[in-house]
Amino acid sequence: MQPNYISFLYTYNLKMKYQKITLVAALIAMATTTKAGGLLTNTNQNIAFNRNFARVGAIGIDGVYFNPAGVVFLDEGFHISLNFQNVYQTRELTSTFSVPAFANTPYEYPFKLNGGDPTNGSKSYIGKASVPILPSFQVAYNKGNWSFQAGFGLTGGGGKAAFNEGLPSFERPISLLPALINQQLPTFAALLGQNEAPATSYSMQSYMSGQQYNFGLQLGAAYKINENLSVFGGARFNYIYNKYEGNITNISANVGGNNQNLFDYFDSKVKALNEKASALQAQAVAAQTQAAALQAQANATTDPATKAQLQAAAAQYSAGAQKASEGAKLVSAGADKLNSSKELVKDRYVEVSQRGWGITPILGIDYRTGKWNFAARYEFTTKFNIENNTKRDDTQRYENGVNTPNDIPGILALGAQYEVLKNLRVMAGYNYYFDKDARMDNDKQRFLKHNTQEFLAGVEWDINPSVTVSAGGQRTLYGLGDGKYLTDLSFVTSSYSFGFGAKIKVAKNAHLNVAYFFTNYSKFTKEYNDAIVIGKEQVTQPDGSVMVQPKTIATKNTDIFTRTNKVLGVGLDIDF
């Protein structure tokens, strides 16, 4: 399967106070999950694979991973393969969304307000992942009819990926701020007796990086039943370590012609509202004091006309005190609600690591006859969880110690090799991944239309006894269905891979492997309707009771996913 070195899934939870005297604010809660195996399996465990993907039907030291039963047919003694790969990947997502409720306004395509395409507001987000050194090794000791084997590699993950400008799931809720702020400006400005120009744009700074490592240590033994048939039994111990760091900072909007950090902007308005509330309360106290004094004078006089004048004045002061007091309460309530909104646009940070382990049983069989060799490998689905170790979580999405399902799907690998000439071999293979049987966070696997399939082919040519060249291709078909499985931080698309390289004899018992392969990914377009929560509303039920429920705004979305993948590798095989 295509090597997927980083997977990290972020989702958002937008909360907005949508009351009469509040501005609207956005909170992005980033939730990361990771999956190992299946859609995210690294099958490039040896340089021999990089130059010829159809290795399940071949016999070689790389068979410790691809065809462990066939390794027993190598010569007696020790066989070692050391491999190092350099990997570079990109993930590109082009996203467009619109808000029907804002049709024919500047806010219909919100991404336009922050550098989006002038026509439809589409924006592209690119994440880069690199693995400077991806190591693996295979070792086998053959004696008589037995082959004792061990292998180590990163069967999932292996590097770091970063989105330096965030992702659409971060930006969509924030892009609504100008429109929603403008809906509240008149009421807000009236409380302070100010004139506010409308918000015309927004900006933010966001960053996301993730590291994923699935360390796999495989142990097992193969037994040669006869000169044509062998079997294998073993297991792989998997240790998962993931780390995710992200932030959303400096959420801003252009209000009144000035780009305002909304946390600071709201804070200044909260202070102004509190000052006005205090001033109104002071006026109420002063007026009530004056009213009490006038009433006391009225009570002390016996002249009817004077008493009436004093009582009227006291009533006026008392009414003024009541009005000022009510105004103070109203403004103070506005300050409290705006203060809540201020908290929603403050800088947010997440730093979480995850750990877990599981054991994968593995069975293999190899059969040779004449110029043919046939082989199969079956890896059982591995059930296990990963546990959160949360250092900081301003989103309140990661409870420390919580476990998340992280099964590794089973694999059925079939392969065949045919010797066309003494120095020319052709191979073919088929891989089937049981993705839908593996538990993922929130049962994400249910969105897959079918399990992943791969079709592999390759050819090897011994130019002379010292040099072998080979090439191969691989077609990977994912069951993505309507795209619900895909998110902007965890996506794959069906692809073609092509690899080539050489095996060169550098000593009597040593061969150098060099190879390069690349992957052409198709583009997958996901169109869907969504709704973003923008506050709460009270709904009267048929029985007369009142229920508070989320208030949402409908959106139309289009995401176009694609990737790139390039791998350069070098390895050394030694026999002794």
Side-chain angles (χ1 to χ4, degrees):
M1 180 166 291
Q2 308 304 334
N4 291 273
Y5 299 95
I6 303 294
S7 170
F8 43 95
L9 166 67
Y10 287 73
T11 60
Y12 64 81
N13 175 23
L14 175 64
K15 299 179 180 178
M16 293 187 178
K17 299 291 185 179
Y18 196 70
Q19 306 295 337
K20 291 184 177 180
I21 50 177
T22 64
L23 289 178
V24 182
L27 166 62
I28 306 299
M30 298 170 289
T32 64
T33 60
T34 181
K35 326 292 183 297
L39 295 170
L40 302 174
T41 299
N42 294 346
T43 51
N44 54 320
Q45 295 299 309
N46 191 284
I47 308 307
F49 170 87
N50 292 13
R51 58 185 175 85
N52 173 13
F53 302 120
R55 295 297 299 173
V56 174
I59 294 176
I61 183 58
D62 62 294
V64 170
Y65 177 82
F66 298 102
N67 178 18
V71 176
V72 74
F73 292 117
L74 295 176
D75 294 336
E76 286 198 353
F78 280 99
H79 306 273
I80 298 175
S81 181
L82 304 174
N83 304 273
F84 302 93
Q85 300 176 60
N86 176 268
V87 183
Y88 180 76
Q89 293 184 337
T90 65
R91 291 172 172 80
E92 183 173 351
L93 171 62
T94 301
S95 182
T96 303
F97 93 111
S98 63
V99 184
F102 299 155
N104 302 317
T105 75
Y107 312 109
E108 181 177 4
Y109 299 97
F111 283 171
K112 284 185 180 182
L113 306 180
N114 188 31
D117 181 87
T119 303
N120 60 10
S122 64
K123 295 187 70 173
S124 293
Y125 303 80
I126 298 177
K128 298 180 179 180
S130 63
V131 187
I133 298 178
L134 183 72
S136 64
F137 73 80
Q138 293 84 37
V139 58
Y141 174 68
N142 287 3
K143 183 67 175 178
N145 291 333
W146 288 93
S147 175
F148 302 97
Q149 306 170 21
F152 174 81
L154 291 166
T155 55
K160 179 178 182 179
F163 286 84
N164 293 318
E165 297 181 0
L167 285 165
S169 60
F170 291 20
E171 190 166 348
R172 283 191 187 104
I174 292 174
S175 71
L176 300 180
L177 282 170
L180 298 174
I181 286 174
N182 290 341
Q183 291 181 359
Q184 301 304 312
L185 275 176
T187 302
F188 173 71
L191 285 174
L192 288 174
Q194 299 174 345
N195 292 320
E196 292 281 357
T200 57
S201 66
Y202 70 93
S203 63
M204 57 182 282
Q205 293 176 345
S206 62
Y207 171 79
M208 188 57 59
S209 71
Q211 301 175 61
Q212 180 192 55
Y213 300 93
N214 182 358
F215 301 97
L217 176 62
Q218 180 176 317
L219 301 173
Y223 180 73
K224 182 164 53 176
I225 298 174
N226 54 49
E227 292 304 313
N228 301 97
L229 180 66
S230 64
V231 293
F232 170 86
R236 182 182 302 118
F237 176 82
N238 304 278
Y239 177 76
I240 304 289
Y241 174 76
N242 307 317
K243 184 177 181 180
Y244 304 103
E245 295 178 309
N247 61 66
I248 298 177
T249 62
N250 195 25
I251 297 174
S252 305
N254 190 306
V255 183
N258 298 311
N259 198 52
Q260 308 273 5
N261 177 288
L262 288 180
F263 182 86
D264 296 336
Y265 178 72
F266 290 176
D267 186 61
S268 66
K269 300 305 180 185
V270 167
K271 291 177 180 177
L273 286 169
N274 284 330
E275 289 175 0
K276 184 170 183 178
S278 297
L280 287 170
Q281 188 60 39
Q283 291 178 22
V285 171
Q288 190 59 44
T289 301
Q290 185 63 26
L294 290 170
Q295 186 61 49
Q297 292 179 28
N299 293 338
T301 185
T302 57
D303 179 58
T306 302
K307 180 185 285 290
Q309 291 176 350
L310 291 172
Q311 288 178 336
Q316 289 179 347
Y317 274 102
S318 182
Q322 180 66 26
K323 184 176 180 179
S325 179
E326 291 175 354
K329 291 178 180 179
L330 183 63
V331 174
S332 181
D336 290 342
K337 292 177 179 178
L338 186 55
N339 194 56
S340 297
S341 295
K342 180 190 73 174
E343 291 301 307
L344 298 177
V345 292
K346 71 180 182 181
D347 295 346
R348 305 277 169 170
Y349 297 86
V350 171
E351 183 177 354
V352 179
S353 61
Q354 300 170 323
R355 291 176 172 85
W357 64 274
I359 296 177
T360 306
I362 304 171
L363 299 176
I365 187 170
D366 187 276
Y367 179 73
R368 349 186 256 180
T369 177
K371 296 182 178 182
W372 287 94
N373 189 75
F374 301 95
R377 183 182 85 255
Y378 179 70
E379 300 186 10
F380 289 76
T381 297
T382 309
K383 304 288 186 181
F384 71 101
N385 298 323
I386 52 175
E387 182 176 323
N388 290 342
N389 178 16
T390 304
K391 292 185 177 180
R392 181 171 182 178
D393 178 21
D394 295 337
T395 70
Q396 299 180 350
R397 297 283 303 215
Y398 293 105
E399 184 178 348
N400 191 50
V402 169
N403 285 275
T404 302
N406 197 83
D407 294 352
I408 300 177
I411 303 173
L412 175 62
L414 306 174
Q417 175 179 287
Y418 179 71
E419 188 179 275
V420 180
L421 301 171
K422 286 292 184 180
N423 65 337
L424 181 65
R425 296 167 296 280
V426 293
M427 300 89 161
Y430 173 76
N431 295 332
Y432 187 85
Y433 298 82
F434 296 88
D435 301 302
K436 292 178 68 64
D437 295 336
R439 300 171 307 149
M440 299 180 183
D441 187 38
N442 295 320
D443 287 327
K444 184 181 176 183
Q445 72 279 0
R446 72 187 187 278
F447 296 130
L448 293 171
K449 185 177 180 180
H450 58 74
N451 289 320
T452 303
Q453 299 181 73
E454 289 181 330
F455 303 88
L456 311 97
V459 59
E460 286 188 346
W461 175 35
D462 302 327
I463 297 177
N464 57 52
S466 298
V467 179
T468 297
V469 295
S470 59
Q474 174 176 293
R475 173 59 167 158
T476 301
L477 296 172
Y478 296 112
L480 301 177
D482 60 4
K484 288 182 181 179
Y485 178 87
L486 302 178
T487 66
D488 52 13
L489 265 170
S490 179
F491 64 85
V492 292
T493 64
S494 296
S495 61
Y496 293 93
S497 293
F498 303 93
F500 57 90
K503 179 181 179 180
I504 304 168
K505 187 175 183 178
V506 294
K508 182 178 180 180
N509 65 336
H511 290 82
L512 180 71
N513 285 291
V514 292
Y516 174 80
F517 84 84
F518 63 94
T519 304
N520 287 332
Y521 290 87
S522 61
K523 290 185 177 182
F524 187 94
T525 300
K526 176 182 176 181
E527 296 181 345
Y528 58 103
N529 296 325
D530 203 358
I532 296 177
V533 178
I534 60 172
K536 298 177 181 179
E537 61 182 351
Q538 294 183 344
V539 177
T540 302
Q541 302 299 306
D543 61 1
S545 63
V546 177
M547 177 181 293
V548 177
Q549 64 183 29
K551 182 181 179 69
T552 62
I553 188 166
T555 63
K556 293 184 177 181
N557 308 270
T558 300
D559 292 330
I560 302 174
F561 303 91
T562 191
R563 300 159 56 114
T564 67
N565 182 60
K566 301 175 182 178
V567 181
L568 177 65
V570 61
L572 184 65
D573 296 346
I574 305 173
D575 305 311
F576 57 91

